[in-house]
Amino acid sequence: MDQTELSNASTKVESPPINALPHELFSHILFCCCEATSPGQDLYDLLSSITAVCRHWRDVAIASSELWTKIAFGQDSYIRHTARFLERSTSRLITVHVNITPLSSFVHSKFLWAQYNLISPGCERSNSRYTMHQNLADAQA
């Protein structure tokens, strides 16, 4: 073996066995991981990690619209993810998880109104909404 062949052999990386799974099965595995994760930053972080593993994982995750159907609503940081989730969920039903504490922070937040404006045109795609308050007295203030 000459130097070029040795160099090519040492740089060739074999694909891990999980990448040999059919896309439908791999997508279902990813979906199960996402279902076990709460909506919001945890889900955003998980999907960011999945799409950063390799090109194959990214392609499968982005093409798997069911991974992008849980949209968290209620914190300023969520707005940058909302449009991406709506786009990648295609025409699937979405679940909007609302977490507003206290309510007054929602009413005065331009970021949350912007997120609402992104979600509201797709409300016919929403299959459920949840409102959670850590402290009901704070929410009513």
Side-chain angles (χ1 to χ4, degrees):
M1 220 182 238
D2 68 9
Q3 188 63 26
T4 305
E5 291 175 325
L6 284 174
S7 176
N8 288 341
S10 66
T11 59
K12 186 175 183 179
V13 177
E14 288 194 33
S15 180
I18 195 167
N19 287 357
L21 291 175
H23 285 203
E24 296 80 11
L25 180 57
F26 187 47
S27 175
H28 184 70
I29 292 168
L30 296 177
F31 177 76
C32 290
C33 293
C34 290
E35 281 297 296
T37 305
S38 63
Q41 198 60 47
D42 292 342
L43 180 59
Y44 301 144
D45 290 344
L46 174 63
L47 287 169
S48 293
S49 296
I50 288 170
T51 57
V53 171
C54 66
R55 170 65 67 179
H56 176 71
W57 284 39
R58 178 177 177 75
D59 292 345
V60 171
I62 290 173
S64 302
S65 59
E66 67 275 9
L67 302 181
W68 308 93
T69 59
K70 292 197 295 189
I71 297 176
F73 183 89
Q75 291 186 12
D76 293 350
S77 62
Y78 297 163
I79 191 170
R80 69 177 183 267
H81 305 293
T82 301
R84 181 179 312 126
F85 271 59
L86 287 170
E87 177 186 339
R88 291 179 181 174
S89 65
T90 62
S91 61
R92 287 188 176 267
L93 287 177
I94 58 172
T95 302
V96 179
H97 294 265
V98 181
N99 188 359
I100 303 163
T101 306
L103 188 57
S104 60
S105 67
F106 169 72
V107 174
H108 295 101
S109 174
K110 66 180 179 182
F111 295 109
L112 295 175
W113 281 114
Q115 186 180 22
Y116 171 79
N117 288 331
L118 284 171
I119 292 173
S120 60
C123 280
E124 68 277 358
R125 290 178 42 208
S126 179
N127 64 8
S128 58
R129 292 187 185 98
Y130 302 96
T131 303
M132 301 167 280
H133 298 288
Q134 292 175 350
N135 183 334
L136 188 57
D138 286 344
Q140 293 174 344

